[in-house]
Amino acid sequence: MDNFLPITNGCAIPRKELPILEFPHFRDSLLASTAANGNIVQFFGYEENGTATLLAVIRKGYDLSAAQCAMPKEFPSLTAENWKFNLFEREIAEQFGIRPLHHPWFKPVRYHANWRGAPDVFGADYQTDIPGLYDYFRVEGEHIHEVAVGPVHAGIIEPGHFRFQCFGEKVLHLEIQLGYQHRGVERLLPTLPFKRLPIVVEGIAGDTTIGNSLCFAQAVESLSSLKVPDPARVVRTIALELERLACHVGDLGALSGDVAFNPPAAYYGRLRGEFLNLLVVLAGNRFGKGLVRPGGVTKIPTPDNVALLRDKIKEVRPEIIQVADLLFSAHSVQARFEGCGRVDRATAEAVGLVGVAGRASGLDYDAREFFPTEKYKMMSPCSYNRKRGGVYSRAWVRYEEICHSLNLAEDLLGTIPEGDLPFPDPNWRLAPDSFVVTVNEPWRGELSHCLLTDAQGKILRYKVKDPSFHNWTGLALALRNQEISDFPLNNKSFNLSYCGFDL
Amino acid sequence: MLKLIQTRLKQGYRTSAFPRKPINLHPSYRGRPEINRDCDPEVAARCAEACPQEAIDAEKRRIDLGRCVFCGLCQQLSEGRFIRFTTDFRLGVAERDQLLYQGSLPDLAAHSKQHFKKLFGRSLQLREVSAGGCNACEADTNVLNTPFFDLSRFGIQFVASPRHADGVFVTGPVPRNMKTALLDTYQAVPAPKVVIACGSCALSGGPFRGSDEIVPLETLLPVDLFIPGCPPHPLTILDALLKYFKG
């Protein structure tokens, strides 16, 4: 990796500092690094004045590094040697019409024509607008049957297609085809006036509004040398934790509902709402929209509102603990959670799981600890006691993080000074010919945005990577040799984003 | 068992008395805006210029609530002198044009289709189609099933099959990749059927307007009920459903 440039989370650098490697070196370095506990943060293509380039950002331990290379027309697939590259490589192929040779499972990611008008590498003509119209992997045999679910699911859930190959109740293989939520976010962002960017970014994944807004704001702040006042950093950190609390609490309720244990489902369903209502106090919106902007936040809570937040957290904490006791000690819950949908540590490592799912399998990576932003430098990390990689662990990790986040939010609330801040100036400009990558840990796991600017300071490329981009494969693997009736439970235990993935 | 009873006692009864009793949201919440029609034209023009959704017509002193994402920037820029957001969450309308808002919204109950009230007023089953949204509208629709809102006490349910539904409830800007699935779902609903569009995306493309990858809902289906917001508050959705079908 010595030919990769060490970089810092959220620190913009001139693009000319990024090393440009020959493709063989680029490929070898990536493979060597990912084989030795390195993980992909970003790996994507961009085009400038007709020249296309590949750019990769790798994390290894506490270090980030980046390098690029000229985009070849076709190249020996990296996925063939390391599974972590699978979706990244297919995404590049889909966006730029280039072909990774000998890719073990080459198919569209989001189902759209490539951006360069090149011949389609998947052999699709996009006349039919159905991403799932594709030859799925099939298990053959007399007693084998296939179950197709989606894109429209039974509940109020985002669309996606799941194809199960079953032997009786047993799932031999699950294939997940997404793309139904593809709104063209990455193509749209560089074409828009800057005033529209915060709104689009908030719409990448509404349940991760604060996470995406933070990645965006930090990138812009670095590219335009905006100073963020400390109280704004405190508010942003609290908001990210409230978002985590709302989602984790809601997930525990939904998991309970999926094993037909209704009381915790009802209680946590309501308690989730308490946190969304706290986001209203902070942001004026239940999902925190309108709060985080480049340069800070739009509002610092008044002392009365800070007191309200603290009182509410004090009030709900014992309720959350009591309901958790009810949930985790119920035999019927244990019988369904325990041993269900295991992803062992080696598998988790091999596919590069992040976030809750990764930690539940024993991968102790939390971007808040490894690449701290905002006020996370002073945070004591969360500790985890269950790492067996099944539904139980994924639920328990959430509960541990809930307790940790409650402490964190309570501590931070004590540090908000009185007095308002000036409203962040929306008229920022970006440094030309620059590059920045931002990494944060919203509730699902590592989220990263990457911005490249051109000679005029316009956005040349806006790349978003949701944690779900790593973790959907984990869900497919968790289902192997499980009963198909356990799918909803497993799906909920991952609770991945469709819109964040589909962009 | 003891734990179950203990927790039940601690949790108590939590269902809201809405709509029998009014409900007050936190003053920070941004609901229906108030427009100062006598505002300095320069301030109004500045807000219109800065509006990320280009939802403000400064000359007419008008906001397109179908486009607005209630981000609050105009309130901040005008320091409340032009636009001020109130906590009023009642925003549903029966015609798209009624969202070209100059300070008042028509009474939804009076504008809804009377035959829908007769057909669905006592029992309404909806099939939700999530079509490219950010999952915020979906989440805040789902929340209507929690004990606080308890949607089913009004005879309204979200159902699994379009065959069991009286209409579709659409969220999201409708990506090209969801068009066929949305139309198929609509086709599968037996007539007469109602179409409800929920959230800024379904109403106008929302943040994603202008993207090549989306197909505006109004070009695909006849919408009967429009619910603005980004996302609409659960009470906005509940209020719109109750007024439109039972008002």
Side-chain angles (χ1 to χ4, degrees), chain A residues 211-232:
Chain A
N212 278 298
S213 301
L214 274 179
C215 280
F216 162 71
Q218 289 160 4
V220 169
E221 283 151 11
S222 183
L223 285 168
S224 53
S225 310
L226 288 173
K227 289 267 176 294
V228 181
D230 196 61

Side-chain angles (χ1 to χ4, degrees), chain A residues 110-113 126 128-131 151-159 178-185 187-188 192-193 195-196 199-200 202-207 209 261 263-267 269-274 276-277 280-287 289-291 293 298-299 305 308 315 318-319 322-323 325-326 329 423 426 444 495 499, chain B residues 3-12 14 25-31 48-54 69-73 76-77 127-143 145-149 158-161 171 173 175-182 184-185 206-214 230-234:
Chain A
R110 306 186 177 98
Y111 194 77
H112 62 79
Y126 307 97
T128 49
D129 42 23
I130 305 172
V152 179
H153 298 293
I156 305 178
I157 318 169
E158 295 182 77
L178 302 178
Y180 296 90
Q181 297 277 70
H182 181 57
R183 296 143 283 163
V185 168
R187 278 272 270 181
L188 186 64
L192 298 178
K195 67 176 182 179
R196 283 186 62 185
I199 307 296
V200 178
E202 285 176 339
I204 290 172
D207 51 25
T209 294
F261 189 40
Y267 305 151
R270 178 188 66 79
L271 284 162
R272 168 178 173 272
E274 300 280 12
L276 296 178
N277 290 338
V280 171
V281 175
L282 273 191
N285 175 289
R286 282 163 55 91
F287 292 82
K289 294 188 180 195
L291 178 69
R293 290 291 180 269
T298 50
K299 210 168 64 167
N305 285 342
L308 190 158
E315 178 195 320
E319 292 188 40
Q322 190 184 27
V323 178
D325 181 39
L326 180 64
S329 68
F423 181 69
R444 276 196 189 92
N495 195 8
C499 54
Chain B
K3 263 186 205 169
L4 260 176
I5 296 166
Q6 271 175 345
T7 322
R8 177 69 186 85
L9 289 173
K10 171 89 178 106
Q11 287 291 323
R14 301 283 191 160
L25 297 178
H26 189 272
S28 297
Y29 168 71
R30 288 186 297 273
E49 172 69 27
C51 174
Q53 288 299 95
E54 282 139 10
V69 290
F70 300 75
C71 72
L73 181 62
Q76 271 148 345
L77 280 181
R127 173 60 252 192
E128 204 273 346
V129 182
S130 162
C134 73
N135 201 26
C137 286
E138 289 81 351
D140 260 356
T141 305
N142 227 342
V143 106
N145 293 315
T146 60
F148 182 83
F149 301 101
F158 285 94
V159 292
S161 169
T171 49
R176 188 178 45 79
N177 285 348
M178 259 311 277
K179 193 182 96 193
T180 304
L182 170 64
D184 283 355
T185 307
F208 309 105
R209 69 201 156 80
S211 168
D212 304 340
E213 296 286 339
I214 63 170
C230 187
H233 195 281

Side-chain angles (χ1 to χ4, degrees), chain A residues 305-333:
Chain A
N305 285 342
V306 171
L308 190 158
L309 284 152
R310 290 170 90 165
D311 291 348
K312 191 45 99 175
I313 288 178
K314 201 165 280 167
E315 178 195 320
V316 298
R317 186 197 293 263
E319 292 188 40
I320 290 173
I321 294 172
Q322 190 184 27
V323 178
D325 181 39
L326 180 64
L327 173 69
F328 287 107
S329 68
H331 293 170
S332 59
V333 172

